[in-house]
Amino acid sequence: MSDGQRNTRQLILDSTALLLERVGAEAMSIRDVCQAAGVTTPTVYHHFGDKRGLLEAVAAEGFERYLGAKRSRTPAADPLEDMRAAWDNHIGFGLDHPAFYRLMYGIPDTEESPAAREAHRMLLGLLERLAEAGRLRLPPEEAATMIRTAAVGTTLTLISSPDAPGAKELAERMREAVFAALFSQDEPPSDKSAVRELARTLLAALSARSARELTPGENGILLELLHKLSL
């Protein structure tokens, strides 16, 4: 694709995005796009095939814009802080760009675009950091599905019913409910201290009552090992 063709394609995308914000996807026509972009109908069809192809391209453009701020963000020391910011930014983008958002999460297959897959990888990366820190209660892929479902549902609800009862604080309440289910809020103890506490607990139990499955000699060895681990 030449620079001229690339510029024309971007002009059509930008013009469509502005129209979407004003009139929405249902009311927008290819003719409206042509008038806004100053191009002919065959030009739009050449680049996008039909209206659906144009809307899918605009949805991919929405993911690119959404990722812009995420790519430039410096990771925080606490991955949970990054996760909280990611949730808030997701909701904020949807409320600031409702027409884009409805396309991004309302048209089948738009989440298969390269930018959408990158967004998913970034979410998984955050969840893997939390898993490595011992603060994630589900496998990363399962947690990602739960977060995405909650965030998208919350955003679409706020877009369509901004004045519904409880809407004002819905995003924050949903975030805290989901995070409470998925994440440990506090840093876990170090591996060494965790082992020490477990050893002390088991040592106390076995000191009062030997394990019946073990011989006296095996019980003695186990108590000795637990004593060393508890120091």
Side-chain angles (χ1 to χ4, degrees):
M1 184 185 297
S2 67
D3 288 344
Q5 289 177 317
R6 189 174 294 107
N7 291 339
T8 299
R9 187 179 189 278
Q10 189 62 50
L11 173 62
I12 295 171
L13 286 175
D14 292 341
S15 300
T16 304
L18 292 173
L19 279 171
L20 285 171
E21 299 290 356
R22 294 209 316 262
V23 304
E26 294 291 331
M28 187 196 73
S29 68
I30 292 294
R31 182 178 180 182
D32 295 330
V33 173
C34 293
Q35 290 179 341
V39 298
T40 63
T41 301
T43 301
V44 175
Y45 287 131
H46 168 74
H47 285 283
F48 303 101
D50 54 18
K51 182 179 177 180
R52 179 182 175 82
L54 174 60
L55 294 179
E56 288 176 351
V58 173
E61 177 77 4
F63 276 109
E64 283 289 347
R65 296 187 183 190
Y66 169 63
L67 286 172
K70 294 174 72 70
R71 289 173 179 142
S72 61
R73 178 179 170 83
T74 302
D78 182 358
L80 189 57
E81 180 182 335
D82 283 338
M83 184 61 69
R84 192 176 300 275
W87 174 281
D88 293 344
N89 290 339
H90 181 101
I91 303 289
F93 180 88
L95 297 181
D96 290 341
H97 307 283
F100 263 127
Y101 195 88
R102 286 193 181 100
L103 291 180
M104 290 162 62
Y105 292 100
I107 296 180
D109 302 328
T110 55
E111 292 182 73
E112 294 304 313
S113 69
R117 290 196 295 270
E118 181 182 349
H120 182 68
R121 287 195 300 271
M122 293 173 76
L123 174 59
L124 283 180
L126 272 178
L127 291 167
E128 286 164 0
R129 286 178 60 201
L130 284 158
E132 289 168 1
R135 300 174 70 182
L136 183 61
R137 297 190 174 110
L138 287 178
E141 282 286 1
E142 292 182 26
T145 298
M146 186 171 174
I147 290 172
R148 175 192 170 283
T149 302
V152 172
T154 299
T155 307
L156 290 174
T157 297
L158 292 175
I159 289 173
S160 61
S161 305
D163 299 319
K168 185 176 180 180
E169 298 176 353
L170 178 63
E172 291 77 11
R173 289 199 302 270
M174 284 295 295
R175 181 191 66 203
E176 295 310 309
V178 172
F179 283 21
L182 288 177
F183 309 126
S184 170
Q185 302 295 312
D186 301 318
E187 292 285 353
S190 67
D191 291 343
K192 184 175 181 180
S193 62
V195 169
R196 183 187 301 120
E197 290 304 314
L198 288 171
R200 287 174 178 173
T201 300
L202 187 55
L203 181 62
L206 291 178
S207 296
R209 179 180 181 182
S210 298
R212 296 177 180 176
E213 297 83 1
L214 303 179
T215 66
E218 290 170 337
N219 266 298
I221 294 172
L222 178 58
L223 290 173
E224 183 179 353
L225 291 173
L226 287 174
H227 178 72
K228 288 183 177 180
L229 290 172
S230 68
L231 299 177

